[in-house]
């Protein structure tokens, strides 16, 4: 059961096209996430990554299929699943403390004010914003705003953390620090995370598994890449790991060419319900960048 | 430093404009001495305009003296046609606040409904579009006929004219609350009532208050005209009554007072607007 804590079962999403017809963003997608796993989804713009995340958060519903969490189909938003939005989505008329407290008092409506504040302060401190509690979002830098967004999401102690390109609007330095902190916090608490990104290095650094989406419309899951790097990884050392370039080349190769061509050359044994799981292995030669670089393990 | 000096300079310029204007006014209306010799009895009949060449228009000093006399005794009441300017103002302000308050009670909830429901927005749009450009005074006969009370009728006219800007701004503010803020509330499983008060209301508040500020301005413009029409009490009636008394001094005094009260009402709402605004 724990291997399928989150189970995406054959979801399809169609949107009304401007000409009156229907566009199928993605069709019949299957994959699963185990408890405590950090899964990234990679794909080009328009492949429906955000829609998959919205379905997981309950903000959107699939036209077919179901997203199942802990044995129950998702029918709407839930406090069990916290979302970190790309645009941080803080309420600008509330202070940092107020924004986090709003989430906490939604989660535990019976808590007293002091209980709520205590919990809020704990998480604000956890993301390194101690001292900024009384500031309004407009007084914060982009990185600090996103830290508040992270504190707000974590403070309700969700079963699942959903992140929609949370660091894409930040500068490289801030992005790095925030990645480190999110990784540390998630490892500490054994948080189950589903994150969307189009940054290959971010995915390699953070994820246990990476779901690759082909280009939309009618996008599909091409394969699931297992991260060969050890769970304990150091941002400054991972590029020395023998498998680092194998997985990096594999991902880049997919994004550059195979995401386009995958649908026209679907392998004979491809099964939508069980997308192939690839474990990229270290190669003796530096650059043989093709899908042979990975060895099928399932 | 630069800021204060700019303020100071602006103040000096304002004051000089006032002085120049006052002086020109004073010279413009002061007489050029006795125009011609005439029989004293005849001169009495002709009045000062003919005798001394003095304009019927009061000078600034006359107006100042009048203002001073009103300030000394703003609330006297010597019968229906002779009440202090303070009492008249109080009537007008009372009517405006009543009509405006009633309009708020209707416009804010209705605006919320229109803003949140695309169906209601479309369904009510033709009515709003047709009713909005109607001069509120056009409602007066209908109000007098149905309500049969001139004072309540003028309150109704204030209600009608304050309604539209508040209604339209509330609907617009509510409908344009950012999707991401609503999504935050949805993912936190915030109920509809709490969402309305903790997300939609604060997000739409600056737009709503802008509508309220437009409304109070219009209401204060309209009350003068409405009271001229229905008579009895109020600053509008006062102006018209003083015109009938040919007391231009009092008319000018009222103009100044009306402007002052209008400014105070507007500034009060500007304060509210600052309180609910938020930087992004």
């Amino acid at each position: 059961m724990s291997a399928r804590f989150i189970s995406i079962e054959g979801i399809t999403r169609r949107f009304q096209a401007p000409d009156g017809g229907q566009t199928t963003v993605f069709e019949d997608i299957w994959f699963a996430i185990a408890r405590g796993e950090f899964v990234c989804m990679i794909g080009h713009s328009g492949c429906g990554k955000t829609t998959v995340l919205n379905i997981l958060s309950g903000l959107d519903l699939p036209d077919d299929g179901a997203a199942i969490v802990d044995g129950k189909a998702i029918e709407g938003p839930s406090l069990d699943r916290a979302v970190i939005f790309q645009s941080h989505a803080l309420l600008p008329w509330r202070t940092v403390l107020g924004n986090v407290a709003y989430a906490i008092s939604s989660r535990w409506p019976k808590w007293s004010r002091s209980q709520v504040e205590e919990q809020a302060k704990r998480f604000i401190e956890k993301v390194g914003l101690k001292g900024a509690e009384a500031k309004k979002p407009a007084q914060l830098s982009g990185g600090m705003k996103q830290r508040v967004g992270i504190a707000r999401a974590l403070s309700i102690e969700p079963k699942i953390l959903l992140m929609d390109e949370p660091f894409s609007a930040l500068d490289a330095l801030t992005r790095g620090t925030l990645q480190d902190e999110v990784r540390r916090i998630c490892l500490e608490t054994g948080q189950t995370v589903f994150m969307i990104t189009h940054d290959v290095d971010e995915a390699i650094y953070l994820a246990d598994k990476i779901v690759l989406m082909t280009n939309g419309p009618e996008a599909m899951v091409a394969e699931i890449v297992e991260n060969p790097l050890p769970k304990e990884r150091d941002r400054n050392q991972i590029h020395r790991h023998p498998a680092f370039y194998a997985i990096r080349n594999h991902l880049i190769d997919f994004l550059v060419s195979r995401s386009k061509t995958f649908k026209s050359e679907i392998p004979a044994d491809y099964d939508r319900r069980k997308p192939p799981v690839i474990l990229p292995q270290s190669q003796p030669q530096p650059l043989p960048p093709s899908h042979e670089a990975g060895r099928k393990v399932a | 430093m630069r800021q204060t000096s700019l303020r100071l300079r602006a103040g000096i310029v304002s004051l000089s404009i006032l002085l120049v204007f006052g002086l020109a006014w004073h010279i413009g209306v002061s007489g050029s001495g006795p125009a011609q010799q005439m029989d004293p009895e005849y001169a009495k009949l002709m009045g000062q305009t003919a005798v001394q060449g003095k304009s019927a228009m009061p000078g600034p000093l006359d107006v100042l003296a009048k203002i001073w006399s009103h300030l000394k005794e703003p609330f006297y009441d010597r019968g229906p046609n002779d009440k202090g300017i303070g009492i008249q103002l109080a009537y007008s302000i009372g009517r405006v606040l009543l009509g405006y308050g009633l309009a708020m009670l209707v416009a804010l909830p209705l605006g919320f409904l229109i803003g949140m429901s695309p169906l209601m927005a479309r369904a009510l749009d033709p009515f709003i579009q047709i009713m909005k450009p109607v001069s509120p005074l056009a409602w007066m006969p209908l109000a007098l006929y149905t309500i049969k009370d001139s004072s309540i009728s003028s309150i109704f006219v204030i209600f009608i004219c304050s309604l539209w800007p508040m209604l339209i701004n509330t609907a617009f503010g509510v409908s344009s609350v950012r999707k991401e803020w609503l999504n935050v509330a949805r993912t936190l499983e915030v109920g509809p009532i709490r969402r309305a008060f903790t997300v939609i209301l604060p997000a739409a508040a600056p737009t709503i208050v802008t509508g309220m500020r437009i409304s109070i301005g219009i209401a204060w413009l309209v009350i003068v005209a409405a009271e001229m029409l229905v008579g009895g009490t109020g600053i509008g009636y006062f102006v018209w009554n003083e015109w009938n008394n040919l007391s231009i001094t009092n008319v000018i005094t009222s103009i100044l007072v009306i402007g002052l009260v209008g400014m105070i009402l507007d500034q009060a709402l500007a304060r509210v607007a600052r309180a609910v605004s938020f930087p992004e």
Side-chain angles (χ1 to χ4, degrees), chain A residues 58-59 77-79 83 85 87 89-94 102-103 105-106 138 152 156, chain B residues 180-190 194-195 198-200 202-203 278-280:
Chain A
L59 290 173
S78 157
L79 282 155
V83 186
F85 297 89
S87 56
L90 300 178
L91 306 178
W93 54 88
R94 283 176 176 265
Y102 185 63
S105 58
S106 304
R152 176 173 66 185
I156 60 172
Chain B
E180 53 182 45
W181 297 335
L182 295 174
N183 279 346
V184 168
R186 283 180 66 196
T187 55
L188 293 174
E189 293 189 69
V190 175
R194 185 160 178 253
R195 185 176 65 213
T198 57
V199 178
I200 299 172
F278 50 85
E280 282 190 48

Side-chain angles (χ1 to χ4, degrees), chain B residues 99-254:
Chain B
Y100 182 80
L102 289 173
M104 248 173 87
L105 287 182
V106 174
L108 298 189
L110 194 61
F112 249 77
L113 178 72
I114 295 174
M116 294 178 82
S117 149
L119 172 75
M120 292 311 282
R122 284 197 177 212
L124 291 175
D125 190 56
F127 300 105
I128 295 174
Q129 294 305 333
I130 290 179
M131 290 301 153
K132 188 181 64 166
V134 175
S135 161
L137 292 169
W139 290 89
M140 190 58 103
L142 200 61
L144 287 169
Y145 178 72
T146 46
I147 303 173
K148 297 187 177 64
D149 180 299
S150 61
S151 188
I152 300 181
S153 294
S154 55
I155 292 173
F156 172 77
V157 167
I158 296 302
F159 165 81
I160 281 288
C161 76
S162 323
L163 189 67
W164 309 115
M166 280 200 254
L167 185 66
I168 290 165
N169 269 45
T170 306
F172 176 71
V174 167
S175 67
S176 48
V177 172
R178 288 233 222 122
K179 193 98 196 288
E180 53 182 45
W181 297 335
L182 295 174
N183 279 346
V184 168
R186 283 180 66 196
T187 55
L188 293 174
E189 293 189 69
V190 175
I193 303 286
R194 185 160 178 253
R195 185 176 65 213
F197 281 101
T198 57
V199 178
I200 299 172
L201 189 60
T207 320
I208 296 175
V209 174
T210 304
M212 290 172 64
R213 201 171 160 188
I214 298 171
S215 279
I216 197 83
I218 294 178
W220 191 242
L221 289 182
V222 167
I223 191 66
V224 174
E227 285 170 346
M228 280 181 177
L229 216 56
V230 297
T233 47
I235 192 73
Y237 167 71
F238 180 80
V239 174
W240 203 248
N241 199 28
E242 294 305 320
W243 161 236
N244 286 334
N245 293 341
L246 274 181
S247 170
I248 305 295
T249 325
N250 262 330
V251 171
I252 295 174
T253 309
S254 327

